[in-house]
């Protein structure tokens, strides 16, 4: 019994430790916005800094150090299946039921299936699972597979990154789609990282250390930016009944639908062991990543729905993560 109680307390400590930076940094951003300390353009400037500078540095550092064969195994198949179902369902709901255009639906898909694997997934995995090896695979899957798909939908459904024209259409054509990887800093940094990893190169510390330092600013700055946006209040109908219904639908898909699909695929279909099953379900139950808010801002879309989904799913996941860890034997 003491061991069980110790495990439960350790799991709760991991959850609180993981959630604390989210709430503290978002709260700081809100306070800064309320006080007008950084001026009216702070949210836009910080958002662009994250998208164009800090996040590419973080992704290059992460991917360049990864092993090329990192995606093997049925556990990754189960997680990928849960992501595909959740993101696909989110896209259809937001587009067909709530009437968003393709770019808005792409953000809905991301909010439904892109998990907060870095600043929340890692501390939870280390404490509940004992290591973060599977979370590292999840991060790379989202960077190299999910994000390029979402960014392609955004690029094809808007006038271009960050031009401030919500929902504007692009003529672009095939040529623009083919050149998007070299125009988008997120995808370009990821591709460069893959090339370095595949070639077995080890860049000098004079290059990697500045990237690590710069990349470390991505998550805290994104959370500060999220807090700044909360000071403006609900956006995009977020305060209306329809806006609340959209947020509730996306959060339900993210916090309930995705882990349930992961449980069904990893358990009855693939027959994973208890440890692997717990890892897949826990990662699928993580809340929406702040990347969806940053992407929406950068592409000139209404970022209110993504912001609301992040805040609401983070609150709900405090319960669902605890329930998943308890039901599947975490700790």
């Amino acid at each position: 019994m003491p061991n069980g109680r110790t495990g439960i307390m350790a799991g709760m400590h991991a959850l609180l430790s993981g959630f604390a930076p989210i709430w503290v940094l978002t709260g700081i951003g809100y306070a800064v916005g309320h006080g007008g300390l950084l001026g009216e353009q702070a949210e836009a400037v910080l958002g662009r800094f994250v998208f164009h500078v800090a996040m590419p540095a973080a992704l290059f550092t992460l991917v360049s150090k990864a092993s090329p064969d990192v995606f093997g195994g049925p556990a990754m198949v189960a997680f990928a299946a849960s992501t595909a179902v959740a993101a696909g369902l989110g896209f259809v709901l937001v587009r067909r039921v709530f009437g968003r255009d393709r770019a808005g639906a792409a953000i809905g898909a991301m909010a439904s299936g892109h998990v907060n694997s870095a600043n929340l997934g890692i501390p939870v995995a280390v404490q509940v699972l004992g290591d973060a090896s599977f979370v590292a695979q999840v991060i790379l899957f989202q960077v190299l597979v999910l994000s390029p798909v979402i960014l392609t939908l955004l690029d094809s459904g808007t006038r271009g990154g960050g031009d401030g024209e919500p929902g504007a259409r692009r003529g672009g054509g095939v040529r623009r789609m083919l050149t998007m990887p070299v125009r988008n800093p997120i995808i370009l940094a990821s591709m460069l990282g893959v090339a370095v990893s595949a070639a077995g190169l080890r860049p000098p510390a004079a290059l990697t250390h500045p990237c690590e330092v710069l990349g470390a600013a991505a998550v805290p700055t994104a959370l500060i930016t999220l807090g700044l946006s909360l000071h403006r209040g609900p956006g995009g109908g977020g305060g209306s009944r329809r806006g609340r219904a959209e947020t509730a639908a996306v959060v339900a898909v993210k916090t309930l639908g995705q882990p349930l699909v992961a449980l069904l695929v990893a358990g009855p279909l693939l027959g994973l062991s208890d440890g692997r099953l717990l890892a897949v379900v826990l990662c699928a139950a993580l809340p929406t990543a702040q990347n969806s808010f940053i992407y929406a801002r950068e592409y000139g879309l209404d970022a209110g729905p993504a912001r609301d989904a992040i805040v609401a799913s983070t609150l709900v996941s405090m319960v669902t993560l605890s329930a998943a860890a308890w039901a599947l034997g975490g700790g």
Side-chain angles (χ1 to χ4, degrees):
M1 187 68 176
N3 289 337
R5 184 178 296 111
T6 301
I8 293 173
M9 293 302 294
M12 291 304 298
H13 176 73
L15 287 175
L16 292 175
S17 297
F19 281 107
I22 297 176
W23 297 125
V24 171
L25 291 174
T26 302
I28 291 173
Y30 179 87
V32 168
H34 182 73
L37 181 64
L38 299 181
E40 295 182 357
Q41 298 301 314
E43 183 186 336
V45 172
L46 290 179
R48 292 180 67 83
F49 168 76
V50 172
F51 188 88
H52 290 277
V53 182
M55 194 178 294
L59 295 180
F60 173 78
T61 301
L62 173 71
V63 177
S64 64
K65 293 181 178 180
S67 172
D69 59 354
V70 74
F71 294 120
M76 198 64 240
V77 171
F79 180 82
S82 73
T83 300
V85 171
L89 182 56
F91 184 91
V92 171
L93 280 173
V94 173
R95 183 151 173 78
R96 300 299 181 187
V97 177
F98 297 102
R100 300 277 179 181
D101 61 13
R102 181 169 50 183
I107 294 298
M110 190 174 188
S112 301
H114 194 291
V115 306
N116 190 340
S117 53
N119 58 318
L120 182 56
I122 290 175
V124 170
V126 168
Q127 188 62 54
V128 179
L129 303 175
D131 70 87
S133 58
F134 184 68
V135 178
Q137 296 181 49
V138 169
I139 294 172
L140 289 171
F141 168 76
Q142 295 191 143
V143 169
L144 299 177
V145 180
L146 181 59
S147 287
V149 172
I150 298 297
L151 288 167
T152 300
L153 289 171
L154 287 170
D155 198 74
S156 65
T158 62
R159 186 177 296 280
D163 64 1
E165 293 294 328
R169 293 295 179 183
R170 176 206 306 282
V174 176
R175 179 172 175 271
R176 187 166 184 89
M177 293 299 296
L178 292 176
T179 59
M180 191 196 60
V182 297
R183 291 184 290 102
N184 187 294
I186 301 295
I187 298 179
L188 180 59
S190 301
M191 291 175 60
L192 290 174
V194 169
V196 170
S197 175
L201 300 176
R202 290 295 176 265
L207 172 64
T208 58
H209 186 62
C211 285
E212 291 171 357
V213 173
L214 187 57
V219 169
T221 308
L223 291 171
I224 293 291
T225 309
L226 179 66
L228 286 170
S229 76
L230 288 172
H231 176 252
R232 294 187 289 104
S240 67
R241 180 177 299 178
R242 185 178 183 83
R244 290 193 296 270
E246 181 179 350
T247 299
V250 168
V251 171
V253 171
K254 176 71 225 55
T255 58
L256 298 177
Q258 187 171 2
L260 284 175
V261 172
L263 177 64
L264 291 174
V265 175
L269 292 181
L270 297 180
L272 296 185
S273 64
D274 291 345
R276 293 278 86 184
L277 177 64
L278 176 61
V280 172
V281 174
L282 270 184
C283 287
L286 291 168
T288 300
Q290 58 268 15
N291 298 38
S292 56
F293 169 77
I294 295 296
Y295 287 13
R297 272 213 53 85
E298 179 58 28
Y299 277 83
L301 303 172
D302 173 21
R307 178 198 63 202
D308 296 343
I310 293 166
V311 174
S313 68
T314 301
L315 284 169
V316 174
S317 68
M318 295 181 71
V319 177
T320 55
L321 282 168
S322 301
W326 175 81
L328 297 176

